[in-house]
Amino acid sequence: MDLLAKELKRIRMNTFERLARHLVPVILAGFAIGAAAAPKSGPIDEATYRAHIARLSSDEFEGRKPGTEAEKRTLQYLESQFRELGLKPGNGASFLQEVPMVEITAAPDAALKFTSGANTVDLKFRQDMVIWTKREKAVESMESSPMVFVGYGVTAPESGWDDYAGVDMRGKTAVILVNDPGFATGDASLFRGRAMTYYGRWTYKFEEAARRGATGALIVHQTDPAGYGWDTVVNSWSTPQLDNATADGNAGRVAIEGWITETAAQQLFAANGTSLDEAVKRANKRGFRAEPMQSRASASLRNAIRHTASHNVAALMPGTKRPEEYLVYMAHWDHLGRMPGCSGDCIFNGAVDNATGTAGVLAIAKAFASSRAKPERSIVFLSVTLEESGLLGSAYYVDHPLFPLAQTVAAFNMDAMHFGGPTRDVTVINIGASQLENYLADAARAQGRVLMAEPTPEKGTFFRSDHFNFAKRGVPALYIKGGIDDREHGAEWRQKYLADFTAQKYHKVGDEYSADADLRAGVEDLSLLYAVGAKLAAEKTFPNWNQDSEFRAARDRSRAAAAK
Ligand SMILES: [Zn+2]
């Protein structure tokens, strides 16, 4: 059956479903169960999707670390695939957008110690702490910097909350809790309750400490509020650190940034006559004030500094009627490379994270390229770099957009499409945020699925991938995941599967592809995103963020400016 015939069949089934809904609601349940048993195949070719995942996550690509030979191989692969689909280069004559970056590698003798009177605690790199500097300096240090417990390190005027009120942080080291008081207390009136806000993210905490003029900023790792274990911290930050290169060599950043383990923090608070638990309790109360500690922090780092560049890859399918309006499908191609000082299997293959999303962009591009109805709006396929280093490739893109952001109708991000079978639901990260969800709900209904909120809004997933940079600039963005309610095994099974993935494979060398990987869930989700884009590509509408979204104002401003 060719694509058109399939499409017609799908449309007929939808029409029947709609009729059934209106005329025979009683039999609808039975119909839905029938439909559920055999999820309809869509425009996404599973074999293509599978082949891209297998290839990109193979050892040949060495974990797709930016700035390495593996980057070249990855870029060549993506460019050749886009060319083969007949797409145009997204950056003038080139498929590549250079992202200038600086790589700072701390020597393993990175040292951090806390001194409280006669008592000194030396923390071991990787075991008790990881520290780094974002400043481009061969040697960076701090000596006897007075430590200040700043609670969650949050200044949120709209919530009447300021952990830094009345304290001068210059020359000092902030000791900061991860997440926010709403999460810790479960009090829905504090921030967003258990759901993480941007204030809960580590990126924000280092940024705020820098704005306060602090010399050091140390986050206390706790697995529950962080959403990941200490391994993830070590794997992410004790390897060479990549950052966007800036004119001032990142002089505006805090000198020493880092994480300490919960155990190290317990020792620190004990040396200051309190306990971590008590300190957390105080920090959770409205009106908390930063607490100067008796302890002082000293640290030193020797760095190897390398200026280099990574690349975003952009391909364009020009719209037939409104080529100046754009839809963006994106996924980050980069991952963590090789584990340093390791023997045996040391490659972070990143099959789920994010060969799946990268393959998803290619599979959706193929679906558009094979479709007989060509999109009236332009479609941009964007593979961004340096996501794992703090969403740097997408940050560079929104600072240097290849296509105007005000004319970018929507952005769809694919990051870690999980393996597994079909589900009755679709997880929407940060549900209720934008009008794009109306389109998504329609497409999901056609698959016999419903939209659901993410089960763990406390993890701040919305702030942890590339669509967030688009959202900050107002571009309506969708970030979805395969659902929880597995059609064959139920919700409990699926939740355990996901929890096991996070515990055992997320950002570990075990995130690998195997030939028996079940890709049906991914294919269904890609079909959804394709359907939403195909619909929008045929419309003139510009869906917006909902009124109560923190991103609405930015969109209204940018659209108003574009209209002038
Ligand atoms: Zn990742």
Side-chain angles (χ1 to χ4, degrees):
M1 202 168 14
D2 73 6
L3 278 171
L4 185 67
K6 269 188 201 166
E7 183 69 6
L8 288 172
K9 181 158 180 256
R10 196 179 62 79
I11 291 165
R12 277 197 296 274
M13 289 186 78
N14 291 345
T15 310
F16 176 70
E17 196 172 347
R18 245 177 255 128
L19 276 175
R21 202 164 290 246
H22 290 298
L23 300 176
V24 208
V26 182
I27 63 162
L28 181 64
F31 176 82
I33 289 164
K40 294 180 265 307
S41 61
I44 300 298
D45 177 21
E46 179 176 323
T48 299
Y49 181 49
R50 181 177 294 279
H52 291 313
I53 294 173
R55 188 78 192 280
L56 288 163
S57 66
S58 69
D59 285 358
E60 178 194 351
F61 286 84
E62 295 177 274
R64 305 183 302 280
K65 177 91 176 171
T68 65
E69 283 299 309
E71 162 162 359
K72 287 186 196 152
R73 238 165 278 149
T74 308
L75 300 179
Q76 274 161 12
Y77 184 77
L78 295 173
E79 182 173 336
S80 70
Q81 295 303 318
F82 286 137
R83 276 187 197 281
E84 210 164 288
L85 292 170
L87 302 178
K88 299 222 163 359
N91 188 16
S94 175
F95 281 90
L96 305 182
Q97 179 183 39
E98 187 176 283
V99 180
M101 63 173 189
V102 56
E103 182 193 69
I104 303 181
T105 308
D109 61 0
L112 173 65
K113 67 178 178 188
F114 301 148
T115 308
S116 321
N119 170 24
T120 295
V121 179
D122 270 301
L123 304 182
K124 287 200 176 59
F125 189 57
R126 293 173 73 96
Q127 192 180 310
D128 308 314
M129 58 86 175
V130 285
I131 56 170
W132 64 88
T133 186
K134 293 286 188 187
R135 295 181 179 176
E136 290 180 33
K137 290 177 77 178
V139 176
E140 185 57 286
S141 64
M142 61 183 184
E143 193 58 44
S144 290
S145 164
M147 302 179 82
V148 182
F149 173 55
V150 297
Y152 293 90
V154 170
T155 298
E158 71 279 12
S159 301
W161 194 284
D162 188 1
D163 287 326
Y164 285 101
V167 59
D168 180 356
M169 287 304 294
R170 280 172 298 178
K172 295 177 186 156
T173 293
V175 177
I176 313 167
L177 300 173
V178 71
N179 218 315
D180 66 36
F183 175 87
T185 58
D187 180 347
S189 72
L190 290 178
F191 296 85
R192 235 176 274 152
R194 292 283 290 179
M196 195 189 269
T197 60
Y198 187 50
Y199 298 117
R201 294 283 297 141
W202 56 266
T203 42
Y204 166 79
K205 293 173 192 292
F206 292 128
E207 287 162 11
E208 190 61 39
R211 281 191 283 270
R212 296 293 169 155
T215 295
L218 299 171
I219 298 179
V220 175
H221 174 262
Q222 292 180 293
T223 300
D224 195 31
Y228 39 81
W230 180 249
D231 302 25
T232 300
V233 174
V234 173
N235 289 341
S236 303
W237 278 282
S238 67
T239 49
Q241 293 296 296
L242 299 163
D243 213 333
N244 290 118
T246 64
D248 68 353
N250 286 317
R253 299 289 298 230
V254 166
I256 303 285
E257 302 179 12
W259 291 78
I260 60 175
T261 60
E262 186 165 15
T263 309
Q266 281 160 346
Q267 278 180 294
L268 173 67
F269 282 98
N272 284 274
T274 178
S275 70
L276 176 59
D277 284 355
E278 287 302 317
V280 169
K281 277 184 203 154
R282 293 194 295 275
N284 285 336
K285 292 215 177 76
R286 188 173 282 286
F288 167 81
R289 286 290 174 266
E291 301 172 351
M293 304 174 103
Q294 295 148 26
S295 299
R296 288 166 177 263
S298 300
S300 62
L301 286 166
R302 293 182 303 121
N303 295 313
I305 295 169
R306 194 165 66 101
H307 278 270
T308 174
S310 186
H311 300 81
N312 294 328
V313 187
L316 176 72
M317 177 180 285
T320 54
K321 289 198 180 144
R322 288 176 299 288
E324 308 289 291
E325 297 172 3
Y326 305 90
L327 294 157
V328 174
Y329 285 95
M330 65 175 160
H332 75 87
W333 61 257
D334 65 300
H335 196 51
L336 306 172
R338 286 172 179 274
M339 192 192 286
C342 152
S343 59
D345 178 11
C346 305
I347 296 176
F348 293 102
N349 298 84
V352 165
D353 184 9
N354 187 27
T356 54
T358 307
V361 167
L362 295 173
I364 288 177
K366 185 176 180 182
F368 275 105
S370 336
S371 159
R372 293 196 190 168
K374 292 297 173 218
E376 295 178 9
R377 284 169 155 163
S378 294
I379 317 277
V380 178
F381 301 97
L382 187 60
S383 304
V384 293
T385 186
L386 294 167
E387 189 270 354
E388 303 288 12
S389 307
L391 320 183
L392 305 179
S394 54
Y396 187 83
Y397 180 92
V398 300
D399 280 346
H400 308 86
L402 298 174
F403 308 98
L405 296 180
Q407 289 296 103
T408 300
V409 179
F412 309 105
N413 185 29
M414 288 154 272
D415 188 0
M417 323 275 298
H418 280 277
F419 295 158
T423 56
R424 293 184 184 84
D425 53 346
V426 183
T427 300
V428 183
I429 313 296
N430 200 16
I431 198 168
S434 86
Q435 296 160 356
L436 292 175
E437 289 167 28
N438 303 333
Y439 293 78
L440 185 68
D442 284 346
R445 199 174 302 119
Q447 290 184 336
R449 302 168 78 192
V450 293
L451 308 189
M452 295 294 281
E454 60 200 300
T456 52
E458 68 277 12
K459 287 190 179 177
T461 309
F462 191 78
F463 311 107
R464 291 168 61 179
S465 192
D466 298 299
H467 57 278
F468 179 51
N469 282 322
F470 283 73
K472 279 204 272 191
R473 298 305 186 89
V475 178
L478 261 191
Y479 184 35
I480 67 166
K481 297 267 177 185
I484 301 301
D485 191 0
D486 188 284
R487 287 184 193 271
E488 287 148 16
H489 306 284
E492 224 171 282
W493 180 91
R494 181 77 183 157
Q495 260 168 325
K496 183 174 182 311
Y497 169 90
L498 293 172
D500 287 350
F501 177 85
T502 303
Q504 289 154 24
K505 295 188 174 171
Y506 174 69
H507 281 205
K508 297 192 178 153
V509 294
D511 179 6
E512 290 178 328
Y513 169 79
S514 69
D516 62 355
D518 189 344
L519 301 183
R520 290 173 297 162
V523 168
E524 267 204 319
D525 291 350
L526 294 174
S527 302
L528 275 185
L529 295 177
Y530 171 82
V532 172
K535 178 113 200 298
L536 280 167
E539 287 188 359
K540 291 180 180 166
T541 41
F542 274 78
N544 203 335
W545 295 100
N546 291 331
Q547 278 303 346
D548 59 353
S549 161
E550 62 267 54
F551 310 118
R552 170 81 181 218
R555 184 58 164 180
D556 288 345
R557 270 198 308 276
S558 101
R559 292 287 299 148
K564 273 178 198 154

